[in-house]
Amino acid sequence: MTDGTINTQETLVEVRDLVKHFPIRQGIIFSKQVGAVQAVDGVTFDIFKGETLGLVGESGCGKTTTGRLILRLLEATSGEIYFDGKNIPALPKDDLRELRKDMQIIFQDPYGSLNPRMTVGDIVGEPLHIHKIARGAEKEKRVRELLEVVGLSAFHARRFPHEFSGGQRQRIGIARALAVDPRLIVCDEPVSALDVSIQAQVINLLEDLQDEFGLTYLFIAHDLSVVKHISDRVAVMYLGKIVELTDKDELYRNPKHPYTQALLSAIPEADPTLKKERILLKGDVPSPINPPTGCRFHTRCPKVMDICKVEEPKFIDSGDGHFVACHLIPGCSSIDEDEE
Ligand code: SF4
């Protein structure tokens, strides 16, 4: 295997060599492209049915763009995304509308994503109306059921978003996503804007709903401590690339990529008697307009070697589905092939 896929479980989403470059244009009348923001640059991975795949990385690494490309809220520059065998970027608009029922999103900002002029009942009922699932009394009954499923009450349907706390608003967003009975939910930093105590409640709710409705999640977060509890597997992104992807326990026990090692070293230890050495990374994340040659992490990596500056490491299965892209790992460099 030479990509982020293993075949032991049923796959719901297959992402193959996905690229999204946002063009940078100059000039008003005869504008021409002078560069591109390489937000996502050749990522390959699977999401298995019923699992939670955590997607983690610093701000600007391309994780949110990846989630939006899967839902086709953005058009890919190139690459393939299969949802249950259907290639999403190539789907005609009508087929895409039908598929949208199966794929929903929960946003980071629960207030910004809810129309302040609509009642909660109208917000949660809107997808039922758009997809012609229920109307009138049937729709109202379904809205009441959905509010109760997410831990709110039926009478909340008459209220407006500003009357709720942050955690409650996120529950409204979850109820809206559940309304169309989806199979995949992209959770785009769903707890980042919430207090720590509320974060745990929302994560527990998402887990309960996953068990009850057989949901599959792509859970996007900027820090590894948030995804630890909810994820089955975790993918780590850096500057438009996935650098490591494996089972959650394996990642936290045996991180192989220096970037993952640095991220894990920054998580505070619950037991104060356990000392761990913090790995401090040099400098800021480079610009995705002009990313470093070779390994994109080489400008900040504490283990950088000469080869890292000129050759991009291959993303390979280093054993038992532990995927990594780093020249320290046998098989990631072309020199390894020459030696065979
Ligand atoms: Fe560091 Fe080199 Fe590995 Fe990149 S390839 S993470 S620079 S050791």
Side-chain angles (χ1 to χ4, degrees), residues 15 34 39 45 62 86 88 93 102 141 143 165 246 289-290 293 297 325:
V15 177
V34 293
F45 61 95
K86 298 186 188 97
I88 294 172
K93 285 256 153 58
D102 287 333
K141 178 169 172 272
V143 167
S165 67
T246 186
I289 297 171
N290 189 18
T293 54
F297 187 54

Side-chain angles (χ1 to χ4, degrees), residues 110-132:
Y111 194 54
S113 66
L114 304 176
N115 187 333
R117 282 189 281 275
M118 286 170 77
T119 64
V120 167
D122 287 341
I123 290 170
V124 175
E126 191 178 36
L128 296 169
H129 178 77
I130 290 172
H131 291 285
K132 301 188 177 77

Side-chain angles (χ1 to χ4, degrees), residues 108-176:
Q108 174 180 3
D109 175 3
Y111 194 54
S113 66
L114 304 176
N115 187 333
R117 282 189 281 275
M118 286 170 77
T119 64
V120 167
D122 287 341
I123 290 170
V124 175
E126 191 178 36
L128 296 169
H129 178 77
I130 290 172
H131 291 285
K132 301 188 177 77
I133 294 170
R135 295 240 161 116
E138 194 193 340
K139 187 176 87 174
E140 282 169 26
K141 178 169 172 272
R142 182 82 184 112
V143 167
R144 288 197 298 273
E145 285 168 1
L146 285 161
L147 291 176
E148 278 163 12
V149 160
V150 300
L152 296 170
S153 299
F155 68 85
H156 285 135
R158 293 189 298 275
R159 298 201 175 157
F160 289 87
H162 72 266
E163 298 177 63
F164 293 86
S165 67
Q168 286 176 319
R169 283 185 210 132
Q170 198 52 290
R171 286 174 192 266
I172 297 165
I174 294 169
R176 178 178 56 185

